[in-house]
Structures are given as C-alpha cells and as structure tokens.
Amino acid sequence: MAGGKLHDFAADEQNRGPWIPTAYANNPKAGQWTSSKLSHDMIADYKPLVMTDGEGIRCSVYVSGCPFHCVECFNESIWDFQAGHPYTQGLEDRIIKDLSQGVVQGITYLGGEPLLNTGMLLKLSKRIRKEFGHDKDIWCWTGYTWEELMRPSESADKLELLHYVDILVDGRYMKDHHDSLLQFRGSSNQRIVDVPASLRAHAETGSTAPVIWSKLHDQHRFIPEVYGKDRSAGEGAAS
C-alpha cells in the first residue's frame, strides 16, 4: 500500500489520542484489525543483545505485518504479514536462552505491529513470566494509541497482551512531528507508557489517559547565551 490512499475508518470517533486521526497513517475502528484475521505468525527479524530498543541490554523480536502504513515508516519492508520466517519453537527456545543471561534486562516487541501478532507474542510472554517472573521486563512498540486500545469494542487479545507488557511506546509515526532528540520515539506524538500503572488507573477510575514512564528523559539542544556572544565577538574580530 506504499504510496496509496490512507483512510480514517472511524471518522465519527473522538478522543483517540494525540493527533489522531492523522493523514499520515490509516486510522482503524475499534476491533477492525485483529491478529486472528491478519497474522501469519511470521517474524521479520530477531536481534539479541541490543541497546537501542528500550532500557538496558535487550532481545528484540520484530514481527511481520502492519496495516497502519505510516508515511515514511522506517520498517515499510515488513508491512506484509507474510514477510520473513515462521515463529518456531526453536526460535522461542533461543529467545529464552538469550534472556537468561544476567546482563539482559528484558525483551522488546517491535515490527510490524505487535498487537496484531498476539498469538505468538502471548505464547512467548506467558513463558517469559513463567520462567523469569518479573525479573525480565517486556517493552512493546505499537501504532495504536493508548486511548484506542482502551476502547470497549477493541479485541480482547490486545488487552490480554498488554497485561504482560511493562512499557508501551504508543502512536503512529508522524513525519511532520519527527524529532531525533526524543527518547525511544520517532515523533513527538508518541508516548512512553507505564502499562501496569495505566491499567490500574483504568480499573480504579475508568480513566483512558496513560500514565507516562517515570524515567522519561528527552534530550534538548542547549546553546548557552554566553557561547553565542563569544562566537559573535570572535567572528567580528576575524572579519
């Protein structure tokens, strides 16, 4: 669908999260896309011992398939749900072995769209919790906003997977909001969500607003005023 027309399938819905709907991606109705309809349990890539996909040293699983089709998506090559290779027991065993290393903090689910590949990721998440408890954390990237995932008509498997996730980076990538200084995100509409805290708030108060990760620390360009004055003085003396 690269270069094709994008659609807002839920034009009558409100409060879907920051900058949603967007003209830079497809915007689904609640429950419109599900793993049972779309997923082929395919993995585009698996990378052990990486330091870019969340906090600490991690193992990263890149699932295949994504219908959001964000404009200028970095992983457009794996929008196809049949790309890559099948998720196998052998791969799962390797992931568990890699996670058992003391230096590894946890696992990250990326893609593609992890919340549309819940069949294999629920299986893996349940095994991680069985073997490691909460000693290994689970991060997940998604094109869905937190508010969209909290819609009453959204598919139950998405919420089930969220109950295993510690940190969720939510929202479509929007090229006009790109910022290379953001922590673990590509565009400023995206958020780093503390999932357990957000689920507790939702259960206790009904709030659909996410609780932001307490360790959020974006970079900022800072040029001290005195540096600007010194530079101007130097350039003046040289001319």
Side-chain angles (χ1 to χ4, degrees), residues 46-51 57-60 94 98 101 104:
Y46 168 62
K47 297 180 180 180
L49 308 180
V50 298
M51 300 181 67
I57 298 174
R58 316 192 63 77
C59 297
S60 295
R94 180 189 172 191
D98 291 339
Q101 299 178 69
V104 177

Side-chain angles (χ1 to χ4, degrees), residues 30-84:
Q32 178 178 2
W33 301 334
T34 63
S35 178
S36 61
K37 293 178 182 177
L38 297 172
S39 177
H40 289 260
D41 289 346
M42 299 291 282
I43 297 293
D45 199 5
Y46 168 62
K47 297 180 180 180
L49 308 180
V50 298
M51 300 181 67
T52 54
D53 297 335
E55 187 180 40
I57 298 174
R58 316 192 63 77
C59 297
S60 295
V61 176
Y62 290 78
V63 300
S64 298
C66 182
F68 282 106
H69 293 184
C70 299
V71 174
E72 297 186 10
C73 171
F74 184 73
N75 287 337
E76 181 177 338
S77 62
I78 56 173
W79 284 353
D80 185 348
F81 281 90
Q82 298 187 62

Side-chain angles (χ1 to χ4, degrees), residues 129-158:
R129 292 300 184 224
K130 179 180 179 181
E131 301 213 11
F132 303 110
H134 288 271
D135 291 341
K136 305 294 180 177
D137 60 20
I138 299 176
W139 283 52
C140 180
W141 263 250
T142 182
Y144 286 95
T145 63
W146 180 261
E147 292 84 352
E148 287 177 311
L149 293 170
M150 293 298 105
R151 293 181 291 189
S153 299
E154 194 49 80
S155 61
D157 57 311
K158 296 184 181 71

Side-chain angles (χ1 to χ4, degrees), residues 164-179:
Y164 290 93
V165 172
D166 296 288
I167 302 295
L168 185 76
V169 182
D170 83 330
R172 327 309 187 242
Y173 170 71
M174 298 184 192
K175 67 184 185 71
D176 282 4
H177 297 285
H178 176 78
D179 186 343

